[in-house]
Amino acid sequence: MHCITLQGDSQPIAVGKIICLARNYVAHAAELGNEVPGEPVLFIKPATSIIFDGEAVEIPEYSQDCHHEVELAVLIGCDGKHIKAEEAMSHVAGYGIGIDMTLRDTQAQLKAKGYPWELAKGFDTSCPLSTFVPTEQIDDPHALELSLSVNGEMRQQDSSALMIRRIPETIAAITRAFTLEPGDIILTGTPAGVSRVCAGDKMVAAIEGIGEITIGVQ
Ligand code: ZN
């Protein structure tokens, strides 16, 4: 079982599924040459992909091009299917920092064949997460500064205001297909500036009001 912690909650929370949004910031879709999709592009990382502050991403031997994607992570607090956007925020228990580590070369090969992306995005250590803060501590999740530096050099720095699909619409879209349960996590997409990391690098990902995590690379 893989658990996260929510500040102020003494019990660890078991993570179910991690549902991720691709192409949710215009500038990031553009930097990869992708169209902004009319419908959300979703994929799932297994809970076994989670690591925490102070741990390290292990790049699988089949990739030479591992990228960071800093993302606002949304923790689900109660069950729901077919959740309406107007009611969606009541299903959110907290917010955290996530890094959607992506093997860009593997992903390109899979995309070219029309295959699923899991080998590029769901490998062990591909989901560094922070502890989560309760929703009451975040005034507006759509007005948070996200940043990620590598070896002290800023690579990603943007506001969650630039999300194309906001959290309520994302939850509504996801729950047309998937039941959300307590302990599920949504990664809401990455802003521009994704770049390669190599063994020995140190990433620091931060989100205003949540904190920061330091993640190594092996
Ligand atoms: Zn991502």
Side-chain angles (χ1 to χ4, degrees):
M1 193 153 50
H2 297 263
C3 296
I4 53 99
T5 52
L6 180 64
Q7 286 173 21
D9 194 333
S10 57
Q11 295 298 318
I13 297 168
V15 176
K17 53 195 173 293
I18 305 165
I19 301 186
C20 309
L21 239 72
R23 302 176 199 171
N24 202 30
Y25 287 76
V26 173
H28 171 64
E31 74 183 346
L32 295 184
N34 291 318
E35 285 178 16
V36 173
E39 289 297 310
V41 177
L42 302 175
F43 58 93
I44 292 182
K45 286 177 185 271
T48 44
S49 66
I50 295 171
I51 58 170
F52 295 107
D53 184 38
E55 298 188 307
V57 173
E58 292 176 32
I59 303 173
E61 85 291 338
Y62 54 83
S63 173
Q64 269 71 51
D65 193 18
C66 182
H67 281 200
H68 55 77
E69 300 187 351
V70 63
E71 312 201 0
L72 176 64
V74 175
L75 175 66
I76 297 299
C78 59
D79 279 311
K81 179 91 194 275
H82 298 296
I83 300 169
K84 293 191 180 75
E86 310 86 80
E87 293 156 13
M89 295 309 264
S90 67
H91 290 257
V92 176
Y95 298 100
I97 305 162
I99 312 178
D100 169 20
M101 297 305 300
T102 302
L103 307 175
R104 199 68 70 197
D105 49 356
T106 305
Q107 186 190 30
Q109 290 156 15
L110 296 168
K111 270 187 190 172
K113 292 178 181 162
Y115 291 170
W117 296 354
E118 276 73 7
L119 286 172
K121 289 210 176 249
F123 61 95
D124 288 359
T125 75
S126 66
C127 192
L129 291 175
S130 68
T131 59
F132 284 70
V133 301
T135 48
E136 310 85 77
Q137 287 184 31
I138 301 292
D139 285 341
D140 182 0
H142 302 102
L144 300 175
E145 184 91 354
L146 290 75
S147 69
L148 187 141
S149 67
V150 179
N151 305 328
E153 181 185 312
M154 195 59 76
R155 300 275 177 90
Q156 295 189 273
Q157 191 169 30
D158 258 321
S159 170
S160 62
L162 297 174
M163 278 183 201
I164 297 167
R165 195 178 302 270
R166 295 192 160 214
I167 296 162
E169 291 75 39
T170 295
I171 290 174
I174 287 171
T175 60
R176 285 159 55 190
F178 303 98
T179 298
L180 285 175
E181 299 177 307
D184 286 345
I185 290 170
I186 301 169
L187 294 189
T188 53
T190 195
V194 301
S195 69
R196 185 182 180 196
V197 289
C198 299
D201 285 347
K202 189 177 86 170
M203 299 180 283
V204 177
I207 299 181
E208 188 186 353
I210 299 174
E212 65 175 40
I213 52 173
T214 300
I215 301 291
V217 181
Q218 288 177 6

